[in-house]
Amino acid sequence: MNPLSVVVRTICDVFAWFMGIYGIYIIIHGHLTPGGGFQGGAVVATMAAFLLVSHGGKKLLSFAKPGFYSGIETAGLLIFITTGFLGLSATFFYNFLAGRGGLFGAVVPIGPNSGILNSAGTISVMNMAVGLEVIGGLSLILIYMFKGIRLFDDQTGGSETGHDR
Amino acid sequence: MKKKVLFLIAILVVAGVFWGALSRVHPFGEKARAPMDDYYLENAQQERSVNNVVTAIVFDYRGFDTLGEAAVLFTAVCSVLALFRKGSEGK
């Protein structure tokens, strides 16, 4: 995929930051607001598609390494399973951090959502782990599917194909 | 002939079982008893110290289900990578 014109590239450079920050916000606030690891991870992974369309495949593959995404995907799933096993003194997936004070251990008042970020125990940890896994997995699918298509191979690479010319 | 009789008997038995099952189905439109839902709504905030009960169910009470979802995603990524990998004779 060849890069688009300089107008598109500049606008996409600006908005990619907002997409990444918004996705990370959805992941971190997963235990307070609608959303969570799966949804926020999908939003962050859309950033890779955004940059692929605007900057072209050569530029994206120069800084988005499949090994990095594969690593964070595996790390996310391992953190998830490890958090489940750590509560094994009571049951599998026991919430051993909730309500104890310390990390994610604040006691929340019963009733409407009070918006305390440092609550929910292992639920927050699992949200972040699932978010990492979804970011890695969906970006990896995107990169490998782009590498697999042969449609753009025999074109002259590097030159921009804008819709303004 | 014998086959037809057996077939008829089988149909009658299955119809009887279905009729018996349908007569005990919960009446349409009436309120169902849901003790599990009531337990979640009453105790989730206190037990897990989280205000979002939906997240408490998805990631804590039914955490094993979420582990399965994550494993499904992992398997899907692995299969896509196996499908689009670079073959040795493709170059």
Side-chain angles (χ1 to χ4, degrees):
Chain A
M1 222 175 254
N2 292 328
L4 292 177
S5 66
V6 68
V7 178
V8 181
R9 272 183 282 155
T10 311
I11 298 297
C12 286
D13 279 345
V14 173
F15 275 96
W17 290 106
F18 286 106
M19 289 174 79
I21 291 170
Y22 183 57
I24 291 169
Y25 162 81
I26 292 178
I27 293 173
I28 289 179
H29 289 72
H31 56 289
L32 296 176
T33 56
F38 288 102
Q39 292 86 354
V43 171
V44 178
T46 313
M47 201 177 75
F50 206 56
L51 294 177
L52 174 67
V53 169
S54 61
H55 281 279
K58 202 175 276 182
K59 184 84 177 291
L60 180 81
L61 290 178
S62 68
F63 63 84
K65 299 296 179 199
F68 171 70
Y69 286 119
S70 179
I72 65 171
E73 187 200 8
T74 314
L77 195 55
L78 282 179
I79 291 171
F80 193 91
I81 297 174
T82 312
T83 316
F85 269 112
L86 280 179
L88 205 57
S89 61
T91 51
F92 194 48
F93 281 112
Y94 180 69
N95 199 337
F96 61 96
L97 286 173
R100 297 268 177 87
L103 183 68
F104 298 129
V107 179
V108 296
I110 311 294
N113 199 338
S114 48
I116 299 173
L117 191 59
N118 189 24
S119 65
T122 56
I123 295 174
S124 309
V125 180
M126 286 178 181
N127 257 318
M128 291 173 199
V130 168
L132 274 183
E133 197 215 335
V134 175
I135 291 170
L138 293 186
S139 305
L140 211 56
I141 286 179
L142 190 86
I143 290 172
Y144 267 82
M145 278 192 164
F146 172 71
K147 277 179 164 182
I149 52 178
R150 295 267 179 269
L151 191 58
F152 304 103
D153 271 2
D154 43 318
Q155 290 181 4
T156 54
S159 66
E160 63 178 36
T161 57
H163 41 67
D164 53 351
R165 52 173 75 187
Chain B
M1 190 61 204
K2 203 176 160 192
K3 225 175 185 176
K4 274 185 183 171
V5 170
L6 278 177
F7 192 64
L8 211 63
I9 290 172
I11 282 184
L12 283 178
V13 167
V14 171
V17 168
F18 266 108
W19 186 259
L22 275 178
S23 65
R24 280 154 206 258
V25 162
H26 189 78
F28 181 75
E30 281 190 20
K31 247 184 138 179
R33 277 186 71 246
M36 205 70 205
D37 300 0
D38 295 340
Y39 179 83
Y40 285 150
L41 287 177
E42 280 163 13
N43 298 323
Q45 297 196 359
Q46 184 189 356
E47 277 182 4
R48 305 300 195 232
S49 82
V50 58
N51 283 127
N52 193 344
V53 180
V54 176
T55 320
I57 293 172
V58 168
F59 280 97
D60 198 306
Y61 291 109
R62 305 283 167 94
F64 204 70
D65 183 51
T66 309
L67 176 64
E69 283 176 38
V72 164
L73 183 75
F74 191 79
T75 316
V77 172
C78 287
S79 54
V80 168
L81 259 59
L83 185 63
F84 284 95
R85 75 192 190 282
K86 214 161 248 179
S88 55
E89 75 276 11
K91 278 245 165 177

Coordinates of all heavy atoms in Angstrom, one line a residue, chain B residues 24-79:
Chain B
R24 N -44.7 -27.7 30.9 CA -44.0 -27.2 32.1 C -43.1 -26.0 31.8 O -42.4 -25.5 32.7 CB -43.1 -28.3 32.7 CG -43.9 -29.3 33.5 CD -43.1 -30.6 33.4 NE -44.0 -31.7 33.6 CZ -44.2 -32.4 34.8 NH1 -43.5 -32.0 35.8 NH2 -45.0 -33.4 34.9
V25 N -43.2 -25.5 30.6 CA -42.3 -24.3 30.3 C -42.9 -23.1 31.1 O -44.1 -23.0 31.3 CB -42.4 -24.0 28.8 CG1 -41.9 -22.6 28.4 CG2 -41.5 -25.0 28.1
H26 N -42.0 -22.2 31.4 CA -42.4 -21.0 32.2 C -43.4 -20.2 31.3 O -43.1 -20.0 30.2 CB -41.1 -20.2 32.4 CG -41.3 -19.0 33.3 ND1 -41.4 -19.2 34.7 CD2 -41.5 -17.7 33.1 CE1 -41.6 -18.0 35.2 NE2 -41.7 -17.1 34.3
P27 N -44.5 -19.8 31.9 CA -45.5 -19.0 31.2 C -44.9 -17.8 30.5 O -44.2 -17.0 31.2 CB -46.6 -18.7 32.2 CG -46.3 -19.6 33.4 CD -44.8 -19.9 33.3
F28 N -45.4 -17.5 29.3 CA -44.8 -16.4 28.6 C -45.2 -15.1 29.2 O -46.4 -14.9 29.5 CB -45.2 -16.5 27.1 CG -44.7 -15.4 26.3 CD1 -43.4 -15.4 25.9 CD2 -45.5 -14.3 25.9 CE1 -42.9 -14.4 25.1 CE2 -45.0 -13.3 25.1 CZ -43.7 -13.3 24.7
G29 N -44.2 -14.2 29.4 CA -44.5 -12.9 29.9 C -44.6 -12.7 31.4 O -44.6 -11.6 31.9
E30 N -44.5 -13.9 32.2 CA -44.6 -13.7 33.6 C -43.2 -13.6 34.2 O -42.2 -13.9 33.5 CB -45.2 -15.0 34.2 CG -46.7 -15.0 34.2 CD -47.3 -16.1 35.0 OE1 -46.6 -16.6 35.9 OE2 -48.4 -16.5 34.7
K31 N -43.1 -13.0 35.3 CA -41.8 -12.7 35.9 C -41.1 -14.0 36.3 O -41.7 -14.9 37.0 CB -42.0 -11.9 37.2 CG -41.4 -10.5 37.0 CD -41.5 -9.7 38.3 CE -40.2 -8.9 38.5 NZ -40.3 -8.1 39.7
A32 N -39.8 -14.2 36.0 CA -39.1 -15.4 36.4 C -38.4 -15.2 37.7 O -38.0 -14.1 38.1 CB -38.1 -15.7 35.3
R33 N -38.2 -16.3 38.4 CA -37.4 -16.2 39.6 C -36.0 -16.3 39.2 O -35.6 -17.1 38.5 CB -37.8 -17.4 40.5 CG -39.0 -17.1 41.4 CD -39.2 -18.2 42.4 NE -38.2 -18.2 43.4 CZ -37.3 -19.1 43.6 NH1 -37.2 -20.1 42.8 NH2 -36.4 -19.1 44.6
A34 N -35.1 -15.3 39.7 CA -33.7 -15.3 39.4 C -32.9 -15.1 40.6 O -32.4 -13.9 40.9 CB -33.5 -14.3 38.3
P35 N -32.7 -16.1 41.5 CA -31.9 -15.8 42.7 C -30.5 -15.5 42.4 O -29.9 -14.7 43.2 CB -32.0 -17.2 43.4 CG -32.5 -18.1 42.4 CD -33.2 -17.4 41.4
M36 N -29.9 -16.0 41.3 CA -28.5 -15.7 41.0 C -28.3 -14.2 40.7 O -27.4 -13.5 41.2 CB -28.1 -16.5 39.8 CG -26.6 -16.7 39.7 SD -26.1 -17.8 41.0 CE -24.4 -17.4 41.1
D37 N -29.3 -13.6 39.9 CA -29.2 -12.2 39.6 C -29.3 -11.4 40.8 O -28.6 -10.4 41.0 CB -30.3 -11.8 38.6 CG -30.3 -12.6 37.3 OD1 -29.3 -13.4 37.2 OD2 -31.1 -12.4 36.5
D38 N -30.3 -11.7 41.7 CA -30.5 -11.0 42.9 C -29.2 -11.0 43.8 O -28.8 -10.0 44.4 CB -31.6 -11.5 43.7 CG -32.9 -11.3 43.0 OD1 -32.9 -10.5 42.1 OD2 -33.9 -12.0 43.2
Y39 N -28.5 -12.2 43.8 CA -27.3 -12.3 44.6 C -26.3 -11.3 44.1 O -25.6 -10.6 44.8 CB -26.8 -13.7 44.6 CG -25.5 -13.9 45.4 CD1 -25.6 -14.0 46.8 CD2 -24.3 -13.8 44.8 CE1 -24.4 -14.2 47.5 CE2 -23.1 -14.0 45.5 CZ -23.2 -14.1 46.8 OH -22.1 -14.2 47.6
Y40 N -26.1 -11.4 42.7 CA -25.1 -10.5 42.1 C -25.4 -9.0 42.5 O -24.5 -8.3 42.9 CB -25.0 -10.6 40.6 CG -24.4 -11.9 40.1 CD1 -24.8 -12.5 39.0 CD2 -23.4 -12.5 40.8 CE1 -24.2 -13.6 38.5 CE2 -22.8 -13.6 40.4 CZ -23.2 -14.2 39.2 OH -22.6 -15.3 38.8
L41 N -26.6 -8.6 42.3 CA -27.0 -7.2 42.5 C -26.8 -6.8 43.9 O -26.5 -5.6 44.2 CB -28.4 -6.9 42.0 CG -28.6 -7.0 40.5 CD1 -30.0 -6.8 40.1 CD2 -27.8 -5.9 39.8
E42 N -27.1 -7.7 44.8 CA -27.0 -7.3 46.2 C -25.6 -7.3 46.8 O -25.2 -6.5 47.6 CB -27.9 -8.2 47.1 CG -29.4 -7.8 47.0 CD -30.3 -8.9 47.5 OE1 -29.8 -9.9 48.1 OE2 -31.5 -8.9 47.2
N43 N -24.8 -8.3 46.4 CA -23.5 -8.5 47.1 C -22.3 -8.2 46.3 O -21.2 -8.2 46.8 CB -23.4 -10.0 47.5 CG -24.5 -10.3 48.5 OD1 -24.9 -9.5 49.3 ND2 -25.1 -11.5 48.4
A44 N -22.4 -8.0 45.0 CA -21.2 -7.8 44.1 C -20.4 -6.6 44.6 O -19.2 -6.7 44.7 CB -21.6 -7.7 42.7
Q45 N -21.1 -5.5 44.8 CA -20.3 -4.3 45.2 C -19.6 -4.4 46.5 O -18.4 -4.0 46.6 CB -21.3 -3.1 45.3 CG -22.0 -2.8 44.0 CD -22.6 -1.4 44.0 OE1 -22.5 -0.7 45.0 NE2 -23.2 -1.0 42.9
Q46 N -20.2 -5.1 47.4 CA -19.6 -5.3 48.7 C -18.5 -6.3 48.7 O -17.4 -6.1 49.2 CB -20.7 -5.7 49.7 CG -20.2 -5.8 51.1 CD -21.3 -6.4 52.0 OE1 -22.4 -6.6 51.5 NE2 -21.0 -6.6 53.2
E47 N -18.7 -7.4 48.0 CA -17.7 -8.5 48.0 C -16.5 -8.2 47.3 O -15.4 -8.5 47.7 CB -18.4 -9.8 47.4 CG -19.2 -10.6 48.4 CD -19.7 -11.8 47.8 OE1 -19.4 -12.1 46.6 OE2 -20.5 -12.5 48.4
R48 N -16.7 -7.6 46.1 CA -15.5 -7.4 45.2 C -15.0 -6.0 45.2 O -14.1 -5.6 44.4 CB -15.9 -7.8 43.8 CG -16.3 -9.2 43.7 CD -15.3 -10.2 44.1 NE -15.6 -11.6 43.8 CZ -15.6 -12.6 44.6 NH1 -15.4 -12.4 45.9 NH2 -15.8 -13.8 44.2
S49 N -15.7 -5.1 46.0 CA -15.4 -3.7 46.1 C -15.2 -3.0 44.7 O -14.2 -2.4 44.4 CB -14.1 -3.4 46.9 OG -12.9 -3.6 46.2
V50 N -16.3 -3.2 43.9 CA -16.3 -2.6 42.5 C -17.7 -2.1 42.3 O -18.7 -2.8 42.7 CB -15.8 -3.6 41.5 CG1 -16.7 -4.8 41.4 CG2 -15.8 -2.9 40.1
N51 N -17.8 -0.9 41.7 CA -19.2 -0.3 41.5 C -19.8 -0.8 40.3 O -21.0 -0.8 40.1 CB -19.1 1.2 41.5 CG -18.9 1.8 42.8 OD1 -18.0 2.6 43.1 ND2 -19.8 1.4 43.8
N52 N -19.0 -1.4 39.3 CA -19.5 -1.8 38.0 C -19.8 -3.3 38.1 O -18.9 -4.1 38.1 CB -18.5 -1.5 37.0 CG -19.1 -1.6 35.6 OD1 -20.1 -2.2 35.4 ND2 -18.4 -1.1 34.6
V53 N -21.1 -3.6 38.3 CA -21.4 -5.1 38.6 C -21.2 -5.9 37.3 O -20.8 -7.1 37.4 CB -22.9 -5.1 39.1 CG1 -23.3 -6.6 39.4 CG2 -23.1 -4.3 40.3
V54 N -21.4 -5.3 36.2 CA -21.2 -6.1 34.9 C -19.7 -6.5 34.8 O -19.4 -7.7 34.5 CB -21.6 -5.2 33.7 CG1 -21.3 -5.9 32.4 CG2 -23.0 -4.8 33.8
T55 N -18.8 -5.6 35.1 CA -17.4 -6.0 35.1 C -17.1 -7.0 36.2 O -16.3 -8.0 35.9 CB -16.5 -4.8 35.3 OG1 -17.1 -3.7 34.6 CG2 -15.1 -5.0 34.9
A56 N -17.7 -6.9 37.3 CA -17.5 -7.9 38.4 C -17.9 -9.3 37.9 O -17.3 -10.3 38.2 CB -18.3 -7.5 39.6
I57 N -19.1 -9.4 37.2 CA -19.5 -10.7 36.7 C -18.5 -11.2 35.6 O -18.1 -12.3 35.6 CB -20.9 -10.6 36.2 CG1 -21.9 -10.3 37.3 CG2 -21.3 -11.9 35.5 CD1 -23.3 -10.1 36.9
V58 N -18.2 -10.3 34.7 CA -17.4 -10.8 33.5 C -16.0 -11.2 33.9 O -15.5 -12.2 33.5 CB -17.4 -9.7 32.4 CG1 -16.4 -10.0 31.4 CG2 -18.7 -9.5 31.8
F59 N -15.4 -10.4 34.8 CA -14.0 -10.7 35.1 C -13.7 -11.4 36.4 O -12.6 -11.8 36.7 CB -13.2 -9.4 35.1 CG -12.8 -8.9 33.7 CD1 -13.6 -8.0 33.1 CD2 -11.7 -9.4 33.0 CE1 -13.3 -7.5 31.8 CE2 -11.4 -9.0 31.8 CZ -12.2 -8.1 31.2
D60 N -14.8 -11.5 37.2 CA -14.5 -12.2 38.5 C -15.4 -13.4 38.7 O -14.9 -14.5 38.8 CB -14.8 -11.2 39.6 CG -14.1 -11.7 40.9 OD1 -14.4 -12.8 41.3 OD2 -13.4 -10.9 41.5
Y61 N -16.7 -13.2 38.8 CA -17.6 -14.4 39.0 C -17.5 -15.4 37.8 O -17.5 -16.6 38.0 CB -19.0 -13.9 39.2 CG -19.3 -13.2 40.5 CD1 -19.5 -11.8 40.5 CD2 -19.2 -13.9 41.7 CE1 -19.7 -11.2 41.7 CE2 -19.4 -13.2 42.9 CZ -19.7 -11.8 42.8 OH -19.9 -11.2 44.0
R62 N -17.5 -14.8 36.6 CA -17.4 -15.7 35.4 C -16.0 -15.5 34.8 O -15.9 -15.4 33.5 CB -18.5 -15.3 34.4 CG -19.8 -15.4 35.0 CD -20.3 -16.8 35.1 NE -21.5 -17.0 35.9 CZ -22.7 -17.0 35.4 NH1 -22.9 -16.8 34.2 NH2 -23.7 -17.1 36.2
G63 N -15.0 -15.4 35.6 CA -13.6 -15.2 35.0 C -13.1 -16.3 34.1 O -12.4 -16.1 33.2
F64 N -13.6 -17.5 34.4 CA -13.2 -18.6 33.6 C -13.7 -18.5 32.2 O -13.0 -18.9 31.2 CB -13.7 -19.9 34.2 CG -12.9 -21.1 33.9 CD1 -11.6 -21.3 34.4 CD2 -13.5 -22.1 33.0 CE1 -10.9 -22.4 34.0 CE2 -12.7 -23.2 32.7 CZ -11.5 -23.4 33.2
D65 N -14.9 -17.9 32.0 CA -15.4 -17.7 30.7 C -14.6 -16.7 29.9 O -14.3 -16.8 28.7 CB -16.9 -17.2 30.9 CG -17.6 -16.9 29.6 OD1 -17.5 -17.9 28.8 OD2 -18.1 -15.9 29.4
T66 N -14.1 -15.6 30.6 CA -13.3 -14.6 30.0 C -11.9 -15.2 29.6 O -11.4 -14.9 28.5 CB -13.1 -13.4 30.9 OG1 -14.4 -13.0 31.4 CG2 -12.4 -12.3 30.2
L67 N -11.4 -16.1 30.4 CA -10.2 -16.8 30.0 C -10.4 -17.6 28.7 O -9.5 -17.6 27.9 CB -9.8 -17.8 31.2 CG -8.6 -18.6 30.9 CD1 -7.4 -17.8 30.7 CD2 -8.4 -19.6 32.0
G68 N -11.6 -18.2 28.6 CA -11.9 -18.9 27.4 C -11.9 -18.0 26.2 O -11.4 -18.3 25.1
E69 N -12.5 -16.8 26.4 CA -12.6 -15.8 25.3 C -11.2 -15.4 24.9 O -10.9 -15.3 23.7 CB -13.4 -14.6 25.7 CG -14.9 -14.8 25.7 CD -15.6 -13.6 26.2 OE1 -15.1 -12.5 26.0 OE2 -16.6 -13.7 26.9
A70 N -10.3 -15.2 25.9 CA -8.9 -14.8 25.5 C -8.2 -15.9 24.8 O -7.5 -15.6 23.9 CB -8.2 -14.4 26.8
A71 N -8.5 -17.1 25.2 CA -7.9 -18.3 24.5 C -8.4 -18.4 23.1 O -7.6 -18.7 22.2 CB -8.1 -19.6 25.3
V72 N -9.7 -18.1 22.9 CA -10.2 -18.1 21.5 C -9.5 -17.1 20.6 O -9.2 -17.4 19.5 CB -11.7 -17.9 21.6 CG1 -12.3 -17.6 20.2 CG2 -12.4 -19.1 22.1
L73 N -9.3 -15.9 21.2 CA -8.6 -14.9 20.4 C -7.2 -15.3 20.1 O -6.7 -15.1 19.0 CB -8.6 -13.6 21.2 CG -8.0 -12.4 20.5 CD1 -9.0 -11.9 19.4 CD2 -7.7 -11.3 21.4
F74 N -6.5 -15.9 21.1 CA -5.2 -16.3 20.9 C -5.1 -17.4 19.8 O -4.2 -17.3 18.9 CB -4.6 -16.9 22.2 CG -3.1 -17.1 22.2 CD1 -2.3 -16.1 22.3 CD2 -2.7 -18.4 22.0 CE1 -0.9 -16.3 22.3 CE2 -1.3 -18.7 22.0 CZ -0.4 -17.6 22.1
T75 N -6.1 -18.3 19.8 CA -6.1 -19.4 18.8 C -6.4 -18.8 17.4 O -5.8 -19.2 16.4 CB -7.2 -20.4 19.1 OG1 -7.1 -20.7 20.5 CG2 -7.0 -21.7 18.3
A76 N -7.3 -17.8 17.4 CA -7.6 -17.1 16.1 C -6.3 -16.5 15.5 O -6.1 -16.6 14.3 CB -8.7 -16.1 16.3
V77 N -5.6 -15.8 16.4 CA -4.4 -15.1 15.9 C -3.4 -16.1 15.4 O -2.7 -16.0 14.3 CB -3.8 -14.2 17.0 CG1 -2.4 -13.7 16.6 CG2 -4.7 -13.1 17.3
C78 N -3.2 -17.2 16.1 CA -2.3 -18.3 15.7 C -2.7 -18.9 14.3 O -1.8 -19.1 13.5 CB -2.3 -19.4 16.7 SG -1.4 -19.0 18.2
S79 N -4.0 -19.1 14.1 CA -4.4 -19.7 12.8 C -4.2 -18.7 11.7 O -3.8 -19.1 10.6 CB -5.9 -20.1 12.9 OG -6.7 -19.0 13.3

